[in-house]
Amino acid sequence: MKQLLLPLKAFALLAFILGAAIGNGQAQNTPSEIIWDKYGVPHVYSQNTAEMYYAFGWAQMHNHANLLLELYGQARGRASEYWGDKYLDSDKQVHLFNLPVTARKQYAQQPPEGKQHLDAFVRGVNAYAQMHPEAIDAAKKQVLPITAYDVLAHSSRVICLEFLGSDDIRAAVREITPGSNAYAIAPSRSASKKAMLVTNPHLPWEDFFVFFEAHLSAPGFNAYGVSLVGQPILNIAFNDHLGWTHTVNTIDASDRYELTLQNGGYLLDGKVQAFEKRTVPLKIRQADGSVKTENLVLASSKHGPVVGEKNGKAYAVRIAGLENGLLGTQYHKMAQAKNWQEFEAAIKMMQNPLFNIIYADKAGNILYLFNGNVPKRPEGDWAFWNGTVDGRSSKYIWNSYHRYEDLPKVFNPGTGFVQNANDAPWTSTYPVALKPADFPAYMAPLETQLRPQRAVNMLKDDTSISFDELVAYKMNTGMEAGDRFLDDLLKAVQKHPDPVAQRAAAVLQKWDRQTEAHSKGAILFARWFDKMREDMFTTPWNPDQPFTTPDGLKDPQKAVALLVTTANEVEKRYGALDVAWGEVYRFRVGDYNVPGNGAPGHYGVFRTMYYYSADDNKEYAFHGDSYVAITEFGDKVRAQVLLSYGNATQPGSKHRGDQLQLLSEKKLRPALLEKQEILKNMEKREQLQMNQ
């Protein structure tokens, strides 16, 4: 197969031998075309879906080559060989869960079309590397050429080990976890009488969490959305008929077992079982460039791989879905579906072991689905399985999953909307449509945090939601915590006057209860709320009042004392109590540095942003609103989108951070769906042709 790059502005034709032809083995005479728009989004037009995925692999390398190769090197379990011991833990984890071997089994499971798509994507990645060696960091070139096994192992590593199993692998909950917001609005609640969808994942702005925005077209296929870098599919997308988004759900499909060690093995049902052990020679690059080999001894129990030992106990982790090999096939079918029936047939494949699905279509259907591979368990509630499980009894070792029909779902509710903001399925609409008692106690937790409460409270009384109103809801920076507790705090200051508290109260009285760049008082309130504990509220969270509790201050005098402490800290650090939010909280990527807005979700802020503290006394966003798409499904699909950090990570790319100003101004950009509009906003155009 030959690869020809034909940029319109170039005069030379370059050809490289890259392998066998795709498709039916015939020579492909019509080249694929990539029209790059001014935000670095590739719009791919191909004569068949295999060539389309070839161009998709090429385009991912164009914008993310170094990151892509680093991720594939890690998925291969050889990153420490390539780049040193800082990748050693990653390599050990990949081999512990045997991802390279599993990837080969997954490849063998692929149906002919799925294998064709995957192979084409890989060839596109390798073709770009051969055509543009100057664009790739020398250290990253060691990974080339990429194989289909690398891509499959990467998908398993990200979805199963990082999204699903990371807490159990580390035996501790991370401080910042992936999250998301989503709405689907039915025609009955839409001002235009057309269904609408809000897509809004919240992920860290780096590494394997980075999104790549793309538009893929071939006969019978036309989809626009985002892929996690390195994945050969659109993870979240819409087409001319329908769309879906994901939120991280409260699923527990990964379990951590405590094993009792005895006589070199572990106890199971009263007998000593031997660990299964294997040795993996792991090469590690040294600072002087030499490579040493460390023999990594890996142990597994009947529960799963052993991730560590402590105080005479071993800990094993069992993760659902690691064997799933047809994720790409499922997502291709999802993106290709033309109606609800075709879409449902695709998601019934159950290849994605986690993530809620929120869906809307042109016919007016909407869906919330608690999607994933939920293990069938003999007993225990969500808290039991979310903790450390006693590994001495084999009854706790699950071997099958609940069917699609068993999962909590809400389809076309009379309420006219569904939502999810990483809450349990019970609060997916209002009034509630699902009851926990109708499902196994381990299916999901009960409590609803402030951010999903905000999601429901913003629109539950709006019976005619316009497209612009939906955009405004998505961009809302208000604090549910402020609406819930500020009045009580101000009353407490009146009852227990203190000079410092009164000065702070004067600032809070004028605060707009938002986290806009210009909001003064938001920092003061947020730092005070951070000092509050659940037992300080008069009314704790109540499942019978899921959107209005917790409420009230149990000890007003204590609340005032905490405000005094907070005010002194804020004034000392920033020189004033009324410092503006955007003066401290910033958006910074590459050469861009602009005022921020939005705040962490535990304040009940729908515009979710997480920040890290820097040496310059500023806080910089590193996680939160990543990709936004507001889509309306009419005769023609209408969509506005934004990819917060820009659509490229390659050094020198103009698209690193080029959407931050829009993010700061809370603006979206129109998704370019018609070729005529794309050409009006074209940055460059190139053609890719594959010949036998």
Side-chain angles (χ1 to χ4, degrees):
M1 178 184 67
K2 294 181 181 178
Q3 162 63 42
L4 302 178
L5 177 65
L6 305 171
L8 295 188
K9 296 181 179 179
F11 296 100
L13 270 181
L14 300 176
F16 289 87
I17 301 298
L18 294 174
I22 65 168
N24 59 12
Q26 300 290 317
Q28 308 298 324
N29 296 317
T30 304
S32 294
E33 181 176 52
I34 303 179
I35 303 174
W36 295 90
D37 71 26
K38 63 183 180 181
Y39 285 105
V41 176
H43 301 262
V44 175
Y45 295 92
S46 299
Q47 65 176 345
N48 58 56
T49 52
E51 291 197 5
M52 179 186 77
Y53 283 112
Y54 176 95
F56 190 37
W58 174 286
Q60 285 205 30
M61 280 290 283
H62 181 282
N63 284 21
H64 297 287
N66 289 340
L67 174 59
L68 202 66
L69 296 179
E70 180 177 341
L71 294 175
Y72 289 150
Q74 289 180 273
R76 194 179 284 174
R78 295 175 60 186
S80 54
E81 174 187 347
Y82 300 140
W83 308 302
D85 60 6
K86 79 171 187 175
Y87 294 92
L88 191 55
D89 288 343
S90 167
D91 284 348
K92 287 180 178 179
Q93 190 179 108
V94 165
H95 289 293
L96 179 64
F97 286 90
N98 217 14
L99 297 190
V101 173
T102 301
R104 292 178 179 272
K105 295 178 181 177
Q106 291 174 332
Y107 184 75
Q109 297 171 15
Q110 302 301 310
E113 185 183 47
K115 186 174 290 187
Q116 185 185 69
H117 292 166
L118 179 58
D119 289 345
F121 178 86
V122 169
R123 285 197 289 268
V125 168
N126 289 328
Y128 183 88
Q130 291 203 30
M131 291 288 282
H132 294 286
E134 78 288 348
I136 304 171
D137 183 83
K140 300 296 190 295
K141 292 179 182 177
Q142 302 173 78
V143 186
L144 293 164
I146 297 304
T147 70
Y149 309 133
D150 300 325
V151 178
L152 292 169
H154 168 68
S155 293
S156 293
R157 174 181 174 243
V158 171
I159 293 174
C160 293
L161 301 194
E162 298 297 343
F163 275 100
L164 186 55
S166 60
D167 289 346
D168 286 314
I169 292 169
R170 294 174 176 84
V173 177
R174 291 173 292 177
E175 180 181 353
I176 299 295
T177 54
S180 346
N181 295 327
Y183 285 130
I185 310 298
S188 63
R189 210 176 183 97
S190 166
S192 67
K193 303 306 178 186
K194 300 168 185 173
M196 296 184 289
L197 182 67
V198 173
T199 296
N200 182 213
H202 307 147
L203 297 180
W205 291 8
E206 61 181 3
D207 203 26
F208 50 80
F209 292 110
V210 170
F211 280 118
F212 178 60
E213 186 178 347
H215 178 198
L216 306 180
S217 296
F221 191 102
N222 182 36
Y224 191 109
V226 289
S227 170
L228 289 170
V229 168
Q231 298 207 21
I233 53 174
L234 293 175
N235 299 95
I236 294 172
F238 61 88
N239 61 31
D240 297 326
H241 310 279
L242 55 83
W244 78 91
T245 186
H246 288 307
T247 57
V248 178
N249 49 359
T250 55
I251 193 171
D252 184 350
S254 168
D255 291 317
R256 182 174 68 255
Y257 298 87
E258 183 180 82
L259 308 182
T260 299
L261 301 177
Q262 189 169 311
N263 298 331
Y266 61 98
L267 286 177
L268 186 65
D269 296 334
K271 298 179 181 179
V272 176
Q273 296 283 339
F275 287 105
E276 294 182 12
K277 294 187 177 182
R278 56 192 172 90
T279 301
V280 175
L282 206 60
K283 295 181 179 180
I284 307 168
R285 184 168 296 278
Q286 307 300 297
D288 62 3
S290 64
V291 176
K292 76 171 186 178
T293 299
E294 173 183 318
N295 287 322
L296 180 64
V297 179
L298 303 173
S300 290
S301 68
K302 293 186 180 299
H303 313 74
V306 175
V307 298
E309 292 187 22
K310 186 178 181 180
N311 299 328
K313 303 284 186 179
Y315 295 88
V317 171
R318 193 173 190 80
I319 300 176
L322 273 171
E323 71 282 3
N324 295 352
L326 303 182
L327 185 72
T329 296
Q330 175 179 320
Y331 273 79
H332 177 77
K333 290 181 180 295
M334 290 163 65
Q336 197 174 37
K338 295 179 175 59
N339 53 49
W340 161 244
Q341 290 75 19
E342 292 180 5
F343 186 84
E344 186 181 36
I347 61 177
K348 280 185 174 181
M349 292 178 67
M350 300 289 289
Q351 291 296 294
N352 198 324
L354 78 163
F355 299 133
N356 294 305
I357 295 175
I358 295 83
Y359 164 95
D361 67 26
K362 189 175 178 178
N365 298 304
I366 63 172
L367 167 78
Y368 161 80
L369 170 66
F370 185 81
N371 172 72
N373 299 145
V374 180
K376 287 187 176 181
R377 292 155 170 148
E379 60 186 59
D381 60 11
W382 191 86
F384 173 85
W385 288 98
N386 200 47
T388 300
V389 179
D390 189 342
R392 290 176 296 178
S393 175
S394 62
K395 71 178 181 179
Y396 293 133
I397 303 176
W398 42 262
N399 290 293
S400 62
Y401 308 136
H402 281 276
R403 302 173 305 153
Y404 170 82
E405 289 75 17
D406 299 338
L407 302 176
K409 61 182 73 66
V410 177
F411 183 67
N412 289 341
T415 60
F417 80 95
V418 293
Q419 73 83 33
N420 188 263
N422 309 121
D423 45 320
W426 330 125
T427 43
S428 54
T429 193
Y430 179 86
V432 296
L434 297 171
K435 297 180 181 179
D438 293 336
F439 299 88
Y442 55 71
M443 186 66 73
L446 297 178
E447 190 167 356
T448 304
Q449 303 297 323
L450 287 177
R451 177 163 54 88
Q453 291 188 40
R454 182 77 176 180
V456 171
N457 288 335
M458 281 195 298
L459 59 71
K460 66 183 176 64
D461 297 323
D462 190 343
T463 58
S464 181
I465 303 169
S466 70
F467 186 93
D468 290 342
E469 285 177 321
L470 196 56
V471 172
Y473 287 139
K474 168 58 216 90
M475 298 298 181
N476 187 281
T477 70
M479 278 193 189
E480 189 73 13
D483 292 344
R484 190 76 54 87
F485 298 106
L486 179 57
D487 290 341
D488 293 331
L489 178 58
L490 294 176
K491 290 177 183 176
V493 173
Q494 291 178 345
K495 186 176 180 180
H496 303 282
D498 173 279
V500 175
Q502 288 174 319
R503 285 197 300 113
V507 172
L508 293 174
Q509 186 74 53
K510 297 177 181 178
W511 174 41
D512 59 8
R513 305 192 186 194
Q514 308 283 315
T515 50
E516 298 291 332
H518 59 262
S519 294
K520 295 182 177 181
I523 292 176
L524 182 60
F525 181 85
R527 303 296 168 85
W528 170 81
F529 191 74
D530 286 342
K531 300 181 188 301
M532 297 294 291
R533 301 190 311 270
E534 290 184 9
D535 61 1
M536 294 180 177
F537 302 130
T538 304
T539 305
W541 183 81
N542 184 341
D544 295 327
Q545 299 172 289
F547 305 113
T548 57
T549 56
D551 196 14
L553 299 177
K554 183 184 295 186
D555 187 344
Q557 189 169 4
K558 176 66 173 176
V560 172
L562 291 177
L563 180 61
V564 171
T565 300
T566 302
N568 287 330
E569 291 172 352
V570 169
E571 198 162 37
K572 180 179 179 180
R573 182 168 184 180
Y574 300 114
L577 293 177
D578 62 349
V579 59
W581 185 265
E583 184 178 329
V584 174
Y585 290 86
R586 312 286 298 180
F587 298 150
R588 182 175 67 176
V589 175
D591 296 329
Y592 297 89
N593 187 340
V594 295
N597 56 70
H602 70 274
Y603 300 121
V605 178
F606 201 65
R607 169 69 149 190
T608 309
M609 289 290 181
Y610 296 92
Y611 302 83
Y612 70 90
S613 299
D615 293 338
D616 59 1
N617 211 25
K618 305 292 185 184
E619 308 278 333
Y620 293 101
F622 73 101
H623 176 185
D625 266 21
S626 323
Y627 175 66
V628 175
I630 316 291
T631 313
E632 182 180 68
F633 295 95
D635 292 336
K636 283 191 175 182
V637 175
R638 174 190 181 191
Q640 293 188 7
V641 297
L642 192 76
L643 186 56
S644 296
Y645 37 73
N647 206 31
T649 55
Q650 280 298 90
S653 172
K654 66 171 67 174
H655 301 300
R656 291 184 65 205
D658 65 340
Q659 298 181 52
L660 277 190
Q661 188 62 47
L662 291 173
L663 184 72
S664 180
E665 296 173 3
K666 296 170 54 180
K667 293 180 180 178
L668 302 177
R669 53 185 177 80
L672 302 176
L673 307 176
E674 301 289 339
K675 198 164 188 177
Q676 184 178 1
E677 290 301 312
I678 296 166
L679 291 172
K680 289 179 182 178
N681 292 274
M682 181 178 69
E683 180 174 278
K684 71 174 182 176
R685 195 173 190 173
E686 60 184 342
Q687 293 181 333
L688 311 177
Q689 184 168 327
M690 296 179 292
N691 294 323
Q692 190 170 6

